[in-house]
Amino acid sequence: MHDDLTTALARPLSGAVHPQVAAHLAQMAAMNPPPIESLTAEQVRVGFGMQMKMTAGPATSLPVVRELTLPAPGGAIKARLYRPTADGVLPGLVFFHGGGWVIGDLDSHDDLCRDLAAQAHCAVLAVDYRLAPEHCFPAAAEDAIAAADWAAANAAQLGIDPARLAVGGDSAGGNLAAVAALAARDAGRPLAAQLLIYPVTDMSRLEGESYAACGEGYGLTAGAMVWFRDHYLTDTKAARDWRVSPLLAGDLSRLPPALVVTAEFDVLRSEGEAYAKRLAEAGVPTRLARYDGMIHGFASMAGVLDVGRQVRSDMAQWLRATLGG
């Protein structure tokens, strides 16, 4: 299940993709999709939505799934509240979907949010933050910070214990969760936990060991990361802003306990593990869970990957232990 940080960082890579991952990659290759770099944002959104439906697990039934709108700096944004029970006060998780700040929405991560709510026995507030290129940086970061603040301020109406409020997300959403955790700390309203699923933590270089080893052939490519960066940022110099690259933040101390999930064959593995290492060095209770043989996005592939289902159980177990669910 989960490795402690020292063991996870020292453990050698397995060197082989999981057979189910190999079958999935072969199926994707047989469809001969054009490279993301040749497509418009809208075209990629359509394709991403179709792919997420193909790999999603079954939608877990919950007694409460409610559409909301939240105030944000650019105007109201949509959100969706998931609760495993209609009554009572629960721990809460503010969740930001992945998609490079350009693609993804509430529906793309619906099955994942349902499973986290059910298995962690917590309320999940999924946030439909503004997307680039229509709304470039800092729009998504501002929305994430505002959503976490709103959830804390309105915890009573959501049936959430504000003392047990976490943030989480995958990929770009993991980036936004890390940013929201930093902002909450700086505002004197620290959160209870952060769940960072193969997070983007450094957009300033787009290089490193996992970029070299996993930049082609494993789903998310190095070229796609450049495409996402160029859609999200109007000036690449902004990549050094901590709200884009939290790995570059000067101080990571006094942040909430973190679970950082990484995938062996993910172009983002190195920067996710570097962030986990910096968090631990800053005194933050940090758990790193590297999943051998997996690729970027595997937590959203519960319909085709056994490990996609297992990681949801693992994350929920950590949330329950950390938040007291």
Side-chain angles (χ1 to χ4, degrees):
M1 196 178 65
H2 299 140
D3 301 312
D4 68 54
L5 187 68
T6 302
T7 302
L9 290 173
R11 184 161 55 85
L13 300 174
S14 75
V17 295
H18 189 284
Q20 290 178 333
V21 170
H24 168 73
L25 291 174
Q27 181 183 23
M28 293 298 104
M31 297 171 66
N32 195 29
I36 191 174
E37 301 93 310
S38 68
L39 301 174
T40 66
E42 189 54 40
Q43 288 172 324
V44 178
R45 287 169 186 161
V46 172
F48 182 70
M50 293 173 59
Q51 180 179 335
M52 295 296 275
K53 289 179 181 178
M54 289 172 55
T55 60
T60 298
S61 179
L62 295 171
V64 177
V65 178
R66 190 164 81 236
E67 308 298 322
L68 303 173
T69 56
L70 314 182
I77 56 175
K78 294 188 295 183
R80 185 176 293 161
L81 178 67
Y82 303 85
R83 286 181 55 92
T85 61
D87 303 314
V89 178
L90 299 170
L93 172 68
V94 182
F95 187 87
F96 308 105
H97 67 78
W101 309 279
V102 177
I103 60 180
D105 55 27
L106 297 178
D107 292 335
S108 65
H109 288 64
D110 180 73
D111 71 305
L112 174 57
C113 289
R114 286 171 179 268
D115 278 352
L116 289 175
Q119 296 181 34
H121 200 70
C122 71
V124 175
L125 181 70
V127 179
D128 200 23
Y129 55 87
R130 287 173 289 171
L131 297 178
E134 295 86 352
H135 304 282
C136 294
F137 173 78
E142 290 177 343
D143 288 355
I145 293 167
D149 286 348
W150 183 89
N154 294 273
Q157 75 176 69
L158 300 173
I160 289 174
D161 179 356
R164 295 187 289 162
L165 182 64
V167 287
D170 66 313
S171 195
N175 168 280
L176 295 175
V179 168
L182 282 159
R185 177 203 64 184
D186 292 347
R189 296 188 294 272
L191 296 160
Q194 50 183 328
L195 172 63
L196 310 180
I197 310 168
Y198 28 80
V200 182
T201 68
D202 186 1
M203 290 295 282
S204 69
R205 287 171 288 189
L206 302 184
E207 62 183 27
E209 184 272 323
S210 60
Y211 263 82
C214 309
E216 291 288 342
Y218 299 104
L220 180 64
T221 66
M225 287 305 300
V226 173
W227 185 89
F228 285 123
R229 180 198 64 190
D230 291 348
H231 278 70
Y232 185 44
L233 305 180
T234 56
D235 181 354
T236 55
K237 293 179 182 177
R240 297 199 62 80
D241 190 308
W242 65 268
R243 295 171 297 169
V244 177
S245 299
L247 184 63
L248 305 184
D251 178 15
L252 297 185
S253 66
R254 297 175 290 109
L255 287 168
L259 171 59
V260 181
V261 172
T262 62
E264 180 181 2
F265 292 92
D266 182 1
V267 70
L268 301 181
R269 169 174 44 79
S270 295
E271 63 195 74
E273 295 183 355
Y275 195 66
K277 185 171 184 289
R278 273 209 64 202
L279 286 171
E281 290 172 346
V284 176
T286 303
R287 176 78 72 177
L288 172 62
R290 180 199 295 159
Y291 287 78
D292 288 343
M294 291 295 110
I295 57 173
H296 190 80
F298 76 97
S300 291
M301 300 181 188
V304 295
L305 300 179
D306 293 340
V307 181
R309 292 188 292 275
Q310 181 61 50
V311 68
R312 297 182 183 199
S313 175
D314 293 345
M315 294 187 297
Q317 181 181 9
W318 180 83
L319 285 169
R320 288 184 75 128
T322 305
L323 299 177

